Amino acid sequence: MSLQSAALSRVKPSATLAADQKARELKAQGRDVISLAAGEPDFDTPDNIKEAAIQAIRAGKTKYTTVDGIPELKEAIVAKFKRENGLEYKTSQVNVSPGGKPVIYNAMVATLNPGDEVLIPTPYWVSYPDMVLLAGGTPVPVPTSAETGFKLRPEALERAITPRTRWIILNSPSNPSGAAYTKAELRALADVLLRHPQVWILTDDMYEHLVFDDFEFFTIAQVEPALYERTLTMNGVSKAYAMTGWRIGYAAGPEPLIKLMAKVMSQSTSNPASISQWAAVEALNGPQDFIKPNAKLFQERRDLVVSMLNQARGIKCPTPEGAFYVYPSVEGLIGRKAPSGKVIGSDEDFAVELLETEGVSVVFGGAFGLSPFFRISYATSNQVLEDACSRIQRFCAAVD
């Protein structure tokens, strides 16, 4: 009899975490390794946010809190959605969880039954399908392509919807592609969803503030108010505020759904860390003036990486609208021999050979549901990125 449950046997460990861990292990062995696998800003958490956490500790705010968030943080989230997205919520419509993943997972656990389908455009963040599987649902990948900018087209959405479709997950800007939907593109998807009232929408807006070239961010409930009552709008403080380790994600949506998510939390994680919640209050209510300069630095890094990768033999790298990832194609290298003599039969082979030969860790496209591509996180210094891209160019030049 297996120790592992049937539910857990259906899922895979996170490929991004696995790639980053492999790089750490090689570094510990003395290898010269550059890891571009993890999606984590290299900036430090702003001092005012850290100070708010310190003050909370000193004030003794270290006890259990309301399961799904302190009132002060919920009020800050309500104000954020109104200020930045034109969305009106009450605090009873807000969920605060210990990270973005639990927001999604709790929503799936709270609502899915066996046979329920969740539409997930590819390439997708590696955790979406596995969280659906753990919750007992069926993930349904909906392919996009580089030609469509890695964005879901309305006709593809229409074809994918069935009577069993329960949710669609939209992520803009996207991890892993960096693709971001314009207002018109969201409008076209909304028109399809209006015809299918059984489909709920989870929109993952975690990279909202990391958009480039004067791109204007919109979220779907903002574009189509008629979808408000079946949309869970998710965000968090990890990316824009450089607070990955603080573990605070949040969402707003219909009150019945929020209550169900809190019910899941009451028997699983309970409340997010109290100190992290007070830090998040300051993040949302405090100065926001560092966000645009940080986004400008990411844009400069994007331009550097896109330029250098497009100079590498066999690689084509689109220019993304946001986040801090690029998703280049390695189609031109498939079937060729790596410097080791091994044939590159897939994007996973490419990632393995690149790490072994040049010490650059990336995540292969198959992990995100769309091959033959790979993901690079450029959330690191220009110097490191130049070194890494030079190694990639050298590796590609040596492919036979």
Side-chain angles (χ1 to χ4, degrees):
M1 185 174 180
S2 173
L3 176 63
Q4 180 172 256
S5 70
L8 193 59
S9 69
R10 292 193 292 267
V11 310
K12 305 178 295 294
S14 167
T16 52
L17 296 180
D20 190 53
Q21 180 59 33
K22 177 66 173 176
R24 292 175 190 270
E25 291 170 359
L26 291 174
K27 282 183 180 179
Q29 296 168 15
R31 288 280 304 276
D32 177 18
V33 173
I34 299 173
S35 179
L36 303 178
E40 182 170 46
D42 58 324
F43 309 131
D44 194 12
T45 304
D47 286 340
N48 64 302
I49 298 172
K50 291 191 283 187
E51 186 59 34
I54 293 167
Q55 291 302 323
I57 293 170
R58 288 178 175 155
K61 296 175 179 177
T62 56
K63 308 296 184 183
Y64 292 134
T65 75
T66 306
V67 166
D68 63 346
I70 58 176
E72 293 84 352
L73 181 50
K74 289 192 172 190
E75 288 166 4
I77 292 165
V78 167
K80 173 262 182 281
F81 277 125
K82 184 175 182 179
R83 177 179 72 242
E84 297 180 353
N85 308 111
L87 290 170
E88 298 272 358
Y89 292 106
K90 298 177 293 186
T91 55
S92 57
Q93 293 177 273
V94 174
N95 171 275
V96 184
S97 289
K101 276 184 181 177
V103 172
I104 304 166
Y105 181 69
N106 292 341
M108 297 298 109
V109 168
T111 59
L112 291 179
N113 292 306
D116 287 345
E117 297 175 349
V118 179
L119 305 183
I120 307 174
T122 66
Y124 46 65
W125 182 41
V126 295
S127 295
Y128 293 147
D130 291 295
M131 286 193 282
V132 170
L133 286 167
L134 277 172
T138 302
V140 179
V142 187
T144 70
S145 67
E147 289 69 35
T148 64
F150 299 116
K151 299 178 195 179
L152 179 63
R153 303 294 299 152
E155 56 271 22
L157 172 59
E158 186 76 67
R159 286 194 301 269
I161 293 174
T162 75
R164 291 185 172 184
T165 305
R166 181 72 160 162
W167 285 91
I168 180 172
I169 300 178
L170 295 174
N171 178 208
S172 173
S174 161
N175 175 3
S177 71
Y181 289 88
T182 65
K183 186 178 184 179
E185 289 165 340
L186 287 174
R187 171 77 267 164
L189 295 178
D191 288 343
V192 175
L193 291 166
L194 287 171
R195 295 195 290 271
H196 300 277
Q198 86 278 13
V199 182
W200 284 64
I201 303 103
L202 191 157
T203 177
D204 180 350
D205 300 344
M206 195 66 74
Y207 297 90
E208 170 185 1
H209 291 297
L210 300 178
V211 292
F212 315 131
D213 302 318
D214 300 319
F215 183 91
E216 190 173 359
F217 175 85
F218 288 91
T219 193
I220 198 164
Q222 175 186 16
V223 172
E224 178 46 80
L227 294 177
Y228 174 93
E229 288 298 336
R230 51 186 170 111
T231 298
L232 184 66
T233 303
M234 190 198 102
N235 214 309
V237 297
S238 60
K239 311 299 182 179
Y241 299 94
M243 294 176 67
T244 50
W246 298 78
R247 307 309 300 140
I248 294 290
Y250 61 82
E255 192 169 328
L257 173 61
I258 297 300
K259 286 183 177 179
L260 293 176
M261 292 166 65
K263 184 178 180 181
V264 175
M265 292 178 71
S266 73
Q267 297 293 3
S268 56
T269 59
S270 290
N271 63 273
S274 60
I275 304 309
S276 295
Q277 292 190 64
W278 285 106
V281 171
E282 174 61 21
L284 294 176
N285 288 344
Q288 309 289 303
D289 53 352
F290 60 90
I291 292 178
K292 285 189 176 179
N294 283 358
K296 190 173 187 304
L297 284 174
F298 279 126
Q299 180 174 329
E300 291 171 1
R301 294 171 179 181
R302 177 205 65 176
D303 293 344
L304 168 67
V305 170
V306 169
S307 174
M308 291 191 71
L309 289 179
N310 277 323
Q311 295 172 52
R313 179 168 168 255
I315 289 180
K316 291 182 180 178
C317 185
T319 301
E321 292 93 349
F324 40 67
Y325 309 104
V326 290
Y327 200 63
S329 168
V330 291
E331 187 174 3
L333 301 175
I334 301 298
R336 298 179 178 272
K337 285 186 180 179
S340 67
K342 294 181 181 178
V343 173
I344 300 173
S346 65
D347 47 35
E348 184 172 8
D349 292 341
F350 169 82
V352 169
E353 290 296 315
L354 178 64
L355 179 58
E356 291 295 334
T357 305
E358 291 289 349
V360 178
S361 175
V362 300
V363 187
F364 65 96
F368 305 104
L370 190 65
S371 295
F373 298 87
F374 68 100
R375 190 194 77 172
I376 277 181
S377 166
Y378 52 83
T380 188
S381 70
N382 284 20
Q383 181 180 356
V384 170
L385 292 171
E386 286 182 14
D387 186 3
C389 290
S390 294
R391 296 186 194 195
I392 293 171
Q393 289 176 350
R394 188 166 61 212
F395 174 84
C396 293
V399 169
D400 186 7

